[in-house]
Amino acid sequence: MIRLSTATDVLAAIPAMLGFTPVQSIVAILLGESEVDGMTGARIVLVSRYDADQDAEIPAERLCGIAARENATGVILTVIASGPGSAAALDNMTSLRDRLEAEGVTPMLSLHTAELTEGAMWIDLDTLERGAVPDPTTSAVHAAAVFDGRNVATSRAAIAARYGLATEADPRVAARAAAEQGDDFARATITEFAAVIRNGEFPSADLAARVGLVAASGPTQRDAFLGLAHYGAAEAHAAMILVATQVRGDARVQTLTITAYFAYIAGTGPEAGIAIDAARASAEYAPEAETRLLDLLDIALQRAMRPDTIAGLTAAGVESAQKLGVEFD
């Protein structure tokens, strides 16, 4: 069990807990009570990041709802901001703190640092204690993340760049394959993509185009891909994100939605949020895109629903895939 008992422990752990090093941000860590070996201690309920200049009203409403649902009793708030925006960030953090405290969530720590890099100075806003941020890559939480195969990006922007546009896979190739294979097209494509996930391979441009076409064919075909989390959500996410960067229009919206699902149930909430944002942006140029699953994932993420709450969609996806003739190991 990893314990965060000091301000330096908390600050060093934030990048690994989020999956990236935040800048100009407010980070809220909701805490609840847990009992281990007969001893009562604190457990982390939620780690959430907001832009430092964002009005506190919406984050406060969201956090209070989650705190009530999860019986959170305490909160650690950290402002990571420098320059002229620091004053506004501190005001927003104070508003957030006051709202949570009014709902019975006790402020445990309120910290401020300009950046989460080794040697940056931090201050406890309640006690005025000061110190230096240690190297976040040496924290126990970072080591645990690496051990679990999770990457800690240098910034949120670095993660978002992975969801951008790569060279487009030729959709004509997929259209010809669909015409040749007829009713067997979806089954053959999903089966081939499943093999890519199982073997940890990179999908070819040809396969990416075919996956995009199947995903955009309708909710049943799209949902069939959710079943591929059967072979590992993280592995499915790694493969599907490469597809999403190579397709356009409705195909990009649907493959990004699938990517968001894989990221969510793999426990990487920030990546799920970035995938959802990218899907929303793509949907603006694809008005025909069906977005009910995207809406569902967005609501689940905003309410911080546990990944296992929505993981049941994998079984539904397996069922959809089997109706198309896909066989699972």
Side-chain angles (χ1 to χ4, degrees), residues 1-4 140-142 144:
M1 179 182 296
I2 297 173
R3 296 185 182 278
L4 306 177
V141 179
H142 185 278

Side-chain angles (χ1 to χ4, degrees), residues 2 7 23 29 71 118 135 165 167 177 185 228 265 272 276 298:
I2 297 173
V23 296
I29 303 174
N71 296 316
E118 184 178 9
D135 181 358
L165 296 174
T167 301
F185 177 63
L228 299 185
I265 65 171
I276 289 170
D298 200 357

Side-chain angles (χ1 to χ4, degrees), residues 9-314:
D9 290 343
V10 171
L11 294 168
I14 285 174
M17 289 193 291
L18 288 175
F20 61 92
T21 301
V23 296
Q24 298 301 115
S25 303
I26 297 174
V27 176
I29 303 174
L30 288 179
L31 304 171
E33 292 185 352
S34 67
E35 187 171 321
V36 179
D37 297 331
M39 298 181 63
T40 300
R43 63 180 175 88
I44 293 177
V45 171
L46 174 76
V47 182
S48 189
R49 185 210 72 92
Y50 305 96
D51 291 337
D53 60 357
Q54 181 179 356
D55 185 272
E57 183 176 353
I58 293 177
E61 190 73 23
R62 174 175 179 252
L63 285 173
C64 286
I66 296 168
R69 187 187 74 216
E70 300 291 339
N71 296 316
T73 55
V75 64
I76 296 173
L77 293 165
T78 301
V79 171
I80 302 116
S82 60
S86 296
L90 290 167
D91 287 344
N92 287 334
M93 187 272 283
T94 300
S95 298
L96 193 58
R97 170 180 164 142
D98 290 347
R99 175 68 184 281
L100 285 164
E101 190 169 18
E103 296 295 328
V105 182
T106 304
M108 310 298 289
L109 284 173
S110 297
L111 307 171
H112 177 220
T113 184
E115 54 186 358
L116 288 176
T117 57
E118 184 178 9
M121 298 304 296
W122 59 265
I123 181 171
D124 184 318
L125 298 170
D126 295 320
T127 67
L128 301 185
E129 178 187 357
R130 298 171 184 267
V133 177
D135 181 358
T137 64
T138 63
S139 76
V141 179
H142 185 278
V146 172
F147 183 78
D148 287 341
R150 293 184 285 120
N151 294 321
V152 181
T154 55
S155 66
R156 189 179 187 278
I159 298 177
R162 296 174 54 214
Y163 292 81
L165 296 174
T167 301
E168 183 180 7
D170 190 346
R172 294 171 299 181
V173 174
R176 285 196 296 270
E180 293 169 0
Q181 296 175 16
D183 293 340
D184 196 45
F185 177 63
R187 182 206 62 79
T189 299
I190 297 171
T191 298
E192 185 178 342
F193 191 61
V196 166
I197 293 171
R198 288 200 311 271
N199 298 328
E201 299 171 347
F202 297 105
S204 66
D206 173 28
L207 178 58
R210 286 184 282 127
V211 168
L213 181 57
V214 173
S217 298
T220 298
Q221 290 86 341
R222 178 205 59 208
D223 292 352
F225 285 103
L226 303 183
L228 299 185
H230 170 78
Y231 297 111
E235 292 78 7
H237 170 262
M240 188 59 80
I241 191 176
L242 295 175
V243 170
T245 62
Q246 298 181 71
V247 295
R248 305 291 186 266
D250 190 11
R252 178 165 166 81
V253 175
Q254 303 309 330
T255 53
L256 281 169
T257 299
I258 299 164
T259 301
Y261 174 72
F262 291 150
Y264 199 137
I265 65 171
T268 52
E271 293 234 10
I274 289 170
I276 289 170
D277 289 345
R280 292 270 186 227
S282 297
E284 293 181 7
Y285 302 95
E288 75 282 8
E290 198 280 319
T291 61
R292 282 177 293 180
L293 177 59
L294 180 64
D295 296 338
L296 172 66
L297 294 173
D298 200 357
I299 292 170
L301 188 64
Q302 293 303 317
R303 294 180 179 176
M305 293 176 64
R306 298 174 185 273
D308 57 8
T309 303
I310 65 167
L313 291 175
T314 297

